[in-house]
Amino acid sequence: MEKITVPTRPIEGQKPGTSGLRKKTSVFMGPHYLENFIQATFSAIGGVAGKTLVLGGDGRYFNNQAAQVILRMAAAGGAARVIVGQDALLSTPAASHLIRKRATDGGLILSASHNPGGPDEDFGVKFNMPNGGPAPEEVTARIYAETTRLTCYDILEAQDVDLSQPGTTTLGGMVVEVVDPVADYAALMAGLFDFDAIRALIAGGFTLRFDAMHAVTGPYARAILQGMLGAPEGSVINAVPQPDFGGGHPDPNPIWAKPLVDLMMGPDAPDFAAASDGDGDRNMVLGRGLYVTPSDSLAVLAANAHLAPGYAAGLKGVARSMPTSRAVDRVAAARGLRCYETPTGWKFFGNLLDAGRATLCGEESAGTGSDHVREKDGLWAVLLWLNILASTKLSVAQILHAHWREFGRNYYTRHDYEALDAATAEAMLDDLRARLPNLPGRVFAGRTVASADEFAYDDPVDGSHSAAQGLRIAFEGGARIVYRLSGTGTVGATLRVYLEEFVDDPDRLDLAPETALAAIIAAADQIAGIRAHTGRSAPDVTT
Ligand code: VG1
Ligand code: CO
């Protein structure tokens, strides 16, 4: 086995976005593309000599080849050990847990999350820090800077390592430890939740369906929900990870998980359903006849987490990304909890969790998590819901309705305009940004603007400043519109418009969301001129 140094040149566009570097798979498979990014990552963290890393991915097309390349590069860089999930699989939360549990120097996760997979679809790589959380902006900026100036990378010439069985081998001087991807994670969950109570609930006839969307959560959900908690065989569907996720988007929302939503709205609905995304960090939760918005889910979990043993001592605080509805803020205010508003992306929660300022975090994009790891965690959210249902003996609908009666209801929806011309989308937001100071006091679709600004974040722990994190317009009475561009897409620009309406009139808690939000949706187009700028008359995806 020989270490070789391969000459290369910087490749444009290797700037990590909201969650790692995402590109078309064919781009990642191009000459030196993956190698350059990995070398830049290693350089940005001061090299890997003597270090221990975790490695795994969501099983999408190119997952295994990429894992082998990374192993050879880590060995060439002098890494002491790489802990790899069997078959190069690890969900994002399981990777985060392993990084922490084994006190490693960080990890590489191969995933483009909810983006589709396959030779013509997307691939991604993200680096997580020794705390288990996504690399913060300062580190991703360093990685990017390295990609613009590297001239070579080191790699071992060697055969592929067998990753199909747990056990330990060596590659050059480096130990490769292949681990069961599920075991440690399942043990962590069993320590947080009242598995006996959930088992008794299920044994008593409570029914559930979990859609793993042909992605990485399948083995985890089968082991935990069916194996440990006794849900009947067939409760977990689409449970075998596929390189192309069965041809769909592994995105747990009412568009891409429509069959599950249809089941829950029909006569044969089980009591509870959930789905998760490509890398297992997101979740969608449904009750019989009811879709729970991710923002509401965060608020309900915050209000009830103390029912689970792992959170019985109460919460240190809560945090949500800026576009997430303010439902959780109402819980925090009522319960005297600290509440933080961060930019989009899980990397901004890490400091709050590490500093013990927050216990629960969430995003409107179906991500919820806690200080048990430093990532959002789909199955964790499902188990916390099941624990709450088992403790209260209430249905999902009963819990939601009681929640709205107590705290009011934040109706919420997100409209995505995909594959826009990037310059057009930016011009539209530039134009709106320039008009923000003139908006307060003006009336759109019958609503008066209370404030309008561009969100920026000053991290209360390390003082870092993140500018330009979305344009937000708040209305009198509690409604709000947020506009921002996605940082995870791979084609053109995706405009996300986040729409929120607050209602506490007890007679208006059961409206159809599109009815409650109609005025705000109209105002969103009037204010930004979406139609006029982009020529689009409707969003591509509404969640
Ligand atoms: C999206 C979501 C954001 C999430 C990110 C990564 O980012 O909006 O809330 O943290 O994806 O999630 P953006 O920049 O496209 O809006 V995942 O499950 O892709 O790791
Ligand atoms: Co994800």
Side-chain angles (χ1 to χ4, degrees), residues 18 22 113-114 281-282 363 365 376 484 486-488 496:
T18 311
R22 292 187 196 181
S113 188
H114 57 288
D281 56 2
R282 298 188 185 198
E363 295 193 280
S365 55
K376 51 193 186 281
R484 65 177 279 280
S486 158
T488 57
R496 302 204 196 282

Side-chain angles (χ1 to χ4, degrees), residues 156-488:
L156 216 63
E157 279 194 318
Q159 298 294 313
D160 280 1
V161 182
D162 180 8
L163 302 177
S164 68
Q165 297 300 327
T168 297
T169 51
T170 56
L171 179 64
M174 180 180 88
V175 176
V176 178
E177 180 183 342
V178 180
V179 297
D180 175 342
V182 177
D184 289 306
Y185 177 83
L188 176 68
M189 294 299 117
L192 291 173
F193 301 115
D194 187 346
F195 272 25
D196 288 339
I198 301 174
R199 221 177 352 248
L201 178 76
I202 292 171
F206 177 93
T207 50
L208 66 92
R209 182 74 53 91
F210 182 93
D211 188 345
M213 302 191 80
H214 307 283
V216 79
T217 335
Y220 296 85
R222 282 169 64 140
I224 296 172
L225 299 175
Q226 296 183 179
M228 299 167 86
L229 296 171
E233 186 74 24
S235 300
V236 179
I237 58 169
N238 301 321
V240 179
Q242 305 280 339
D244 67 347
F245 306 119
H249 289 224
D251 197 352
N253 64 39
I255 307 299
W256 294 110
K258 188 167 184 302
L260 190 71
V261 177
D262 289 347
L263 170 76
M264 295 310 285
M265 300 305 154
D268 301 322
D271 294 300
F272 178 85
S276 67
D277 72 334
D279 59 333
D281 56 2
R282 298 188 185 198
N283 71 92
M284 174 177 69
V285 164
L286 300 136
R288 191 174 278 150
L290 185 84
Y291 162 69
V292 183
T293 71
S295 296
D296 273 355
S297 178
L298 173 65
V300 167
L301 296 182
N304 296 286
H306 59 276
L307 298 173
Y311 306 93
L315 306 178
K316 294 171 181 150
V318 293
R320 63 164 171 83
S321 68
M322 184 274 283
T324 304
S325 101
R326 292 167 295 177
V328 73
D329 302 32
R330 298 183 175 276
V331 176
R335 302 281 166 86
L337 295 171
R338 286 185 282 217
C339 183
Y340 297 89
E341 182 177 45
T342 60
T344 294
W346 212 261
K347 55 178 169 256
F348 296 100
F349 293 130
N351 279 347
L352 299 173
L353 296 167
D354 283 348
R357 291 182 182 232
T359 306
L360 240 57
C361 306
E363 295 193 280
E364 54 67 41
S365 55
T368 20
S370 88
D371 58 2
H372 69 291
V373 289
R374 293 294 179 272
E375 285 278 3
K376 51 193 186 281
D377 188 343
L379 208 41
W380 167 89
V382 168
L383 292 167
L384 181 49
W385 263 99
L386 290 175
N387 198 142
I388 292 166
L389 294 170
S391 302
T392 59
K393 308 274 191 299
L394 297 173
S395 69
V396 175
Q398 286 169 325
I399 287 186
L400 246 318
H401 284 107
H403 188 94
W404 294 333
R405 276 195 302 278
E406 184 175 354
F407 299 102
R409 178 170 180 184
N410 292 69
Y411 288 95
Y412 191 85
T413 190
R414 188 180 92 191
H415 289 184
D416 290 343
Y417 298 80
E418 295 182 338
L420 295 174
D421 172 60
T424 304
E426 269 155 34
M428 190 189 95
L429 292 188
D430 288 346
D431 174 51
L432 175 56
R433 186 179 294 109
R435 288 186 287 114
L436 290 176
N438 309 324
L439 291 179
R442 290 191 55 193
V443 179
F444 298 91
R447 301 307 175 90
T448 307
V449 175
S451 66
D453 66 0
E454 179 161 43
F455 181 57
Y457 182 63
D458 290 297
D459 187 300
V461 179
D462 67 13
S464 59
H465 181 76
S466 303
Q469 297 295 328
L471 307 181
R472 52 181 186 180
I473 309 214
F475 296 84
E476 288 173 8
R480 190 178 66 149
I481 303 171
V482 172
Y483 306 85
R484 65 177 279 280
L485 296 181
S486 158
T488 57

